[in-house]
């Protein structure tokens, strides 16, 4: 086997531009992306089409938020030299592939996705009985498959969407994976292997296909691995021909589950805009102080002299995210003995959040002052993304027997 380093795995993820990002996004998603950009080939995009599925009545807000969100990403440490950053609608192939996939996706698959009914329930005030909203997860599948992504970092709530993506890819490959002339092309590829190996390949293929001999299949894989004169395309054909399937055009991605964010909201529930309990990444130091000072604490501590229990207090959850062991011990002892007051207790948290946000806000201010640069980054990102997406789309269209591809 050759020792050439294998390609970096490709990572893709997106976020809907629904407003300013907060610490929940930072701890739950962005820090993870920032880390991944060093180890993977990363594509991160602003999902403006997806925002339209739920906010089609207020398109002005979406376009305002697209750039702001890109600024938040860049401020949080996404580096356009390491990752491809772009806006979904700037790469029309997402929409094209979505349309093609819609032809082969059974309605029931979409109706059964749990977020479909959940979100309709949750967002009762909006009319989400639309074609586009039903197709939300399929558009997400197109986002992923158009880049042939290996890994998709998402939270728990999105796992069903990745599962759908895998099923749709499998169905596509099954329906269209047999390119025209597949058998002839596979036969031609066999002849490129040399007489001896070609005969062995044919024997192993027969043994596997006639008797289901797993050892023959394994030997066939090993034989293909060892071929040096076979192109990557031919190798895939030979694999498919060996196994009796077609050619894999859209590979199935994996979900890379992000650990549930430990970032609580100001009231102790999950931090979320809909709970109105967030600290945004652009929160001024004065606001950080005000919001944390007015956070609820253990309700048993009515007076300063009443002892409390950190387990019953949202401020303690912040200490778990931000404080070292010594500070945490100081909180535990001081709270239980009424040795410290809640305002004392909040002080190190205020300082830690302010310190975390300071460099992010510094960078955000630089990008705010130079929006042309932000637009350039998004434009260059879209150019790079379109190259990859167009190559996949050409393959997909010719597999689906459209002409001139
Ligand atoms: N649905 C995702 C969310 O709400 C956003 C998204 C759109 C996405 N397209 C994607 C995430 C593709 C990962 C991959 O968070
Ligand atoms: Fe919460 Fe700290 Fe007050 Fe205890 S002392 S109730 S942990 S804020």
């Amino acid at each position: 086997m050759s020792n050439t380093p294998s390609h970096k795995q490709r990572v893709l993820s997106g976020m809907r531009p629904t407003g300013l990002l907060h610490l929940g996004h930072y701890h739950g998603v962005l820090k993870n992306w920032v880390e991944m950009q060093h180890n993977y080939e990363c594509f991160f995009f602003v999902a403006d089409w997806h925002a339209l599925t739920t906010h089609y009545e207020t398109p002005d807000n979406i376009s305002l938020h697209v750039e702001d969100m890109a600024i938040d990403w860049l401020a949080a440490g996404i580096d356009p030299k390491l990752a491809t950053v772009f806006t979904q609608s700037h790469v029309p192939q997402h929409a094209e592939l979505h349309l093609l996939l819609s032809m082969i996706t059974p309605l029931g698959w979409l109706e059964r996705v749990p977020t479909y009914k959940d979100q309709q329930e949750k967002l009762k005030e909006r009319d989400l009985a639309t074609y586009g909203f039903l197709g939300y997860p399929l558009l997400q599948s197109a986002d992923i498959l158009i880049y042939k992504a290996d890994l998709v970092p998402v939270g728990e709530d999105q796992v069903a969407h990745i599962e759908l993506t895998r099923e749709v890819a499998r169905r596509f490959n099954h329906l269209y994976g047999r390119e025209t002339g597949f058998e002839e092309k596979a036969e031609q590829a066999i002849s490129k292997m040399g007489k001896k190996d070609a005969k062995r390949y044919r024997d192993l293929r027969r043994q596997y296909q006639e008797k289901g001999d797993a050892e023959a299949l394994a030997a066939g894989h090993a034989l293909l691995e060892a071929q040096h004169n076979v192109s990557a395309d031919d190798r895939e054909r030979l694999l498919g021909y060996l196994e009796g399937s077609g050619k894999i055009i859209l590979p199935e991605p994996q979900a890379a589950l992000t650990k549930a964010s430990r970032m609580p909201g100001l009231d102790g529930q999950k931090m979320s805009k809909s709970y109105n309990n967030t600290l945004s990444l652009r929160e001024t130091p004065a606001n950080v102080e005000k919001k944390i000072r007015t956070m609820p604490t253990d309700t048993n501590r009515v007076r300063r002299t009443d002892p409390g229990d950190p387990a019953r207090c949202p401020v303690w959850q912040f200490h778990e995210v931000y404080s070292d062991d010594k500070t945490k011990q100081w909180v535990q002892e001081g709270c239980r003995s009424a040795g410290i007051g809640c305002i004392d207790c909040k002080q190190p948290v205020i300082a830690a959040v302010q310190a975390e946000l300071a460099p992010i806000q510094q960078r955000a201010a630089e990008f705010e002052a130079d929006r042309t640069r932000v637009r350039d980054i998004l434009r260059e990102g879209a150019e790079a993304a379109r190259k990859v997406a167009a190559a996949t789309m050409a393959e997909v269209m010719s597999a689906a027997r459209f002409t001139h591809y």
Side-chain angles (χ1 to χ4, degrees):
M1 265 208 278
S2 72
N3 286 326
T4 39
S6 58
H7 267 303
K8 272 192 193 174
Q9 287 200 302
R10 189 175 284 165
V11 160
L12 171 123
S13 204
M15 234 189 250
R16 278 169 301 149
T18 47
L20 285 182
L21 298 189
H22 52 64
L23 281 176
H25 297 113
Y26 180 65
H27 285 268
V29 183
L30 286 175
K31 267 165 73 176
N32 186 39
W33 286 11
V34 168
E35 224 172 89
M36 285 186 127
Q37 63 184 348
H38 296 284
N39 305 318
Y40 299 94
E41 185 192 3
C42 289
F43 289 81
F44 299 127
F45 69 94
V46 182
D48 55 351
W49 275 120
H50 276 106
L52 207 57
T53 63
T54 47
H55 292 67
Y56 56 86
E57 285 170 299
T58 49
D60 291 341
N61 294 346
I62 297 174
S63 57
L64 283 179
H65 289 144
V66 168
E67 238 171 76
D68 285 346
M69 186 151 92
I71 291 177
D72 277 348
W73 290 1
L74 297 165
I78 300 292
D79 180 348
K81 287 200 274 311
L82 297 174
T84 304
V85 181
F86 61 99
T87 307
Q88 185 186 34
S89 65
H90 293 181
V91 183
Q93 288 83 0
H94 292 237
E96 267 185 278
L97 183 58
H98 177 215
L99 179 60
L100 178 52
L101 296 178
S102 76
M103 307 297 169
I104 66 162
T105 305
L107 267 183
W109 289 13
L110 295 173
E111 286 160 347
R112 272 197 301 276
V113 172
T115 43
Y116 179 55
K117 292 251 154 58
D118 289 359
Q119 291 293 101
Q120 279 189 336
E121 277 296 303
K122 234 193 192 156
L123 306 173
K124 270 227 174 74
E125 72 285 3
R126 299 208 187 107
D127 180 5
L128 294 183
T130 59
Y131 179 53
F133 187 69
L134 178 67
Y136 182 111
L138 190 63
L139 176 58
Q140 184 165 352
S141 300
D143 296 338
I144 297 167
L145 297 173
I146 197 78
Y147 300 103
K148 301 189 178 186
D150 299 292
L151 289 175
V152 187
V154 284
E156 276 291 346
D157 61 320
Q158 297 286 309
V159 172
H161 294 177
I162 310 304
E163 203 38 59
L164 173 79
T165 305
R166 294 166 58 85
E167 276 163 21
V168 169
R170 230 174 285 147
R171 185 163 167 87
F172 183 90
N173 294 329
H174 174 73
L175 288 171
Y176 300 138
R178 272 184 194 276
E179 40 183 357
T180 14
F182 175 71
E183 250 114 87
E184 293 74 37
K185 284 183 183 157
E187 284 294 336
Q188 274 168 17
I190 295 176
S191 59
K192 288 183 204 148
M193 280 199 285
K195 264 211 175 92
K196 207 169 126 247
D197 282 352
K199 175 167 185 321
R200 186 157 156 71
Y201 175 89
R202 287 211 168 84
D203 288 344
L204 292 168
R205 176 166 181 266
R206 194 171 324 108
Q207 278 174 51
Y208 174 64
Q209 296 201 352
E210 285 173 12
K211 307 194 193 98
D213 181 346
E215 269 172 44
L217 178 63
H221 282 170
L223 179 68
L224 290 178
E225 284 278 350
Q227 297 302 312
H228 294 295
N229 296 329
V230 171
S231 70
D233 270 354
D234 274 345
R235 194 188 305 271
E236 267 193 62
R237 283 187 191 102
L238 289 170
L239 267 174
Y241 197 51
L242 176 71
E243 296 178 359
S245 64
K247 188 174 171 227
I248 291 172
I249 295 168
L250 297 175
E252 291 176 40
Q254 301 279 347
L257 262 195
T258 25
K259 289 173 261 91
S261 166
R262 307 236 294 106
M263 194 64 220
L266 291 163
D267 57 0
Q269 299 186 79
K270 180 186 149 93
M271 188 178 280
S272 160
K273 215 174 59 178
S274 48
Y275 298 143
N276 202 9
N277 63 359
T278 63
L279 285 167
S280 97
L281 295 185
R282 312 286 185 93
E283 212 79 64
T284 61
N287 258 345
V288 168
E289 173 157 16
K290 196 166 96 204
K291 284 190 167 182
I292 295 179
R293 268 172 166 270
T294 50
M295 268 175 82
T297 57
D298 179 357
T299 44
N300 288 338
R301 289 205 77 179
V302 182
R303 279 163 305 233
R304 166 71 177 77
T305 48
D306 295 333
D309 178 1
R312 296 169 39 91
C313 177
V315 179
W316 168 249
Q317 295 183 50
F318 273 65
H319 278 291
E320 294 243 74
V321 175
Y322 288 104
S323 298
D324 58 16
D325 287 344
K326 214 175 121 215
T327 311
K328 284 194 270 192
Q329 202 184 341
W330 169 78
V331 174
Q332 285 289 343
E333 287 168 11
C335 181
R336 289 170 197 284
S337 65
I340 60 172
C342 291
I343 292 296
D344 307 324
C345 180
K346 288 171 170 177
Q347 218 50 59
V349 171
I350 293 168
V353 173
Q354 286 171 339
E356 179 171 63
L357 291 181
I360 296 177
Q361 294 181 350
Q362 160 89 43
R363 282 191 296 263
E366 285 164 22
F367 286 111
E368 287 279 8
D370 190 0
R371 289 205 167 233
T372 331
R373 189 164 150 230
V374 178
R375 277 170 219 148
D376 284 346
I377 289 169
L378 290 173
R379 192 173 34 73
E380 282 162 25
E383 262 163 44
R386 275 196 302 266
K387 287 210 177 93
V388 180
T392 308
M393 204 55 211
E395 249 185 282
V396 159
M397 290 296 271
S398 94
R401 312 297 193 272
F402 284 84
T403 44
H404 309 304
Y405 272 86

